[in-house]
C-alpha cells in the first residue's frame, strides 16, 4: 500500500450527493439483510441461491467456476471454498472443465434443483415484499435503469 498523498484534491461530496450515497448504502444493506434472513429460514445463503439459480438457467445445469466467481464478484478461491460446502450438502457437484484444465465446472444436482424449486417461491415473495412492492412502476423502472448504468451493463441485460 502506498503512503504517498495524491496531488489531486479530494472531490468531497456535497450534501445532496452524500445523502444519496448514504441512502443507497442503507437501502442495499436493509433489503439484502431482509431477503437473506428469509433465505436463511430455508437453510440457504444468498450465495447458495445465486449459484443454484444461475446453474438452473443453463440448459445443462452447469457453469464454469471462473465465470460464476466473476458474476458474483468473488475470487475463484472464495467461490471454490463455498462450492465445497455446497457440494458437501449435495446441492452441486464438480466436474472437469473441458475449456480450462485447471478449472472446474459446477454442476447442479437433482437435490440442488429440488432445493431451488422449494426455495424459489419464498425467495420471490421476499424480493416482492422487501423491494418490488415498496416501489411504484415508474420508480422500479428508473431504479432498473440506474442499477444497470452503475453496473456498467445494458439495461436489458439484467
Amino acid at each position: 500500500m502506498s503512503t504517498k498523498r495524491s496531488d489531486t484534491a479530494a472531490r468531497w461530496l456535497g450534501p445532496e450527493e452524500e445523502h444519496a450515497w448514504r441512502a443507497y448504502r442503507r437501502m442495499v444493506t436493509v433489503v439484502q439483510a431482509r431477503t437473506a434472513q428469509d433465505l436463511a429460514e430455508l437453510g440457504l445463503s444468498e450465495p447458495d441461491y445465486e449459484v443454484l439459480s444461475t446453474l438452473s438457467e443453463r440448459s445443462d445445469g452447469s457453469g464454469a467456476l471462473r465465470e460464476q466467481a466473476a458474476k458474483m464478484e468473488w475470487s475463484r478461491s472464495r467461490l471454490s471454498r463455498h462450492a465445497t460446502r455446497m457440494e458437501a450438502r449435495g446441492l452441486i457437484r464438480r466436474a472437469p472443465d473441458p475449456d480450462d484444465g485447471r478449472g472446474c465446472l459446477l454442476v447442479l444436482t437433482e437435490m440442488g434443483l429440488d432445493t431451488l424449486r422449494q426455495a424459489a417461491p419464498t425467495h420471490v415473495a421476499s424480493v416482492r415484499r422487501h423491494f418490488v412492492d415498496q416501489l411504484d412502476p415508474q420508480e422500479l423502472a428508473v431504479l432498473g435503469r440506474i442499477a444497470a448504468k452503475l453496473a456498467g451493463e445494458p439495461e436489458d441485460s439484467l
Side-chain angles (χ1 to χ4, degrees):
M1 184 169 104
S2 174
T3 56
K4 289 184 180 180
R5 292 189 122 188
S6 172
D7 290 339
T8 307
R11 286 186 55 220
W12 298 107
L13 301 179
E16 295 84 14
E17 293 167 327
E18 186 170 352
H19 173 76
W21 172 246
R22 290 178 184 270
Y24 162 78
R25 295 286 302 174
R26 182 72 181 138
M27 173 195 70
V28 169
T29 299
V30 168
V31 172
Q32 196 167 39
R34 290 175 182 167
T35 56
Q37 178 59 42
D38 291 342
L39 278 174
E41 291 174 9
L42 303 172
L44 293 172
S45 67
E46 285 184 308
D48 290 339
Y49 194 86
E50 177 72 19
V51 170
L52 294 176
S53 64
T54 299
L55 294 176
S56 76
E57 294 166 357
R58 297 180 174 247
S59 61
D60 64 354
S62 72
L65 182 138
R66 71 182 180 290
E67 292 170 1
Q68 184 68 37
K71 180 180 182 200
M72 294 172 71
E73 300 277 339
W74 280 19
S75 69
R76 284 197 258 180
S77 63
R78 180 179 180 192
L79 180 56
S80 182
R81 289 188 301 275
H82 188 79
T84 297
R85 292 187 295 274
M86 291 181 73
E87 195 170 20
R89 293 164 45 210
L91 300 173
I92 62 171
R93 66 179 175 78
R94 294 177 200 238
D97 184 344
D99 298 329
D100 181 357
R102 296 176 301 160
C104 71
L105 297 176
L106 303 179
V107 182
L108 186 62
T109 64
E110 200 58 43
M111 181 180 182
L113 185 57
D114 288 344
T115 299
L116 179 63
R117 285 181 181 142
Q118 292 170 12
T122 299
H123 180 63
V124 77
S126 178
V127 170
R128 236 179 220 300
R129 182 173 59 257
H130 301 301
F131 180 72
V132 174
D133 292 345
Q134 301 298 316
L135 304 170
D136 65 39
Q138 294 79 19
E139 291 168 328
L140 200 57
V142 169
L143 186 54
R145 287 192 301 274
I146 292 168
K149 183 177 185 177
L150 292 178
E153 300 172 355
E155 180 182 342
D156 58 356
S157 71
L158 298 177

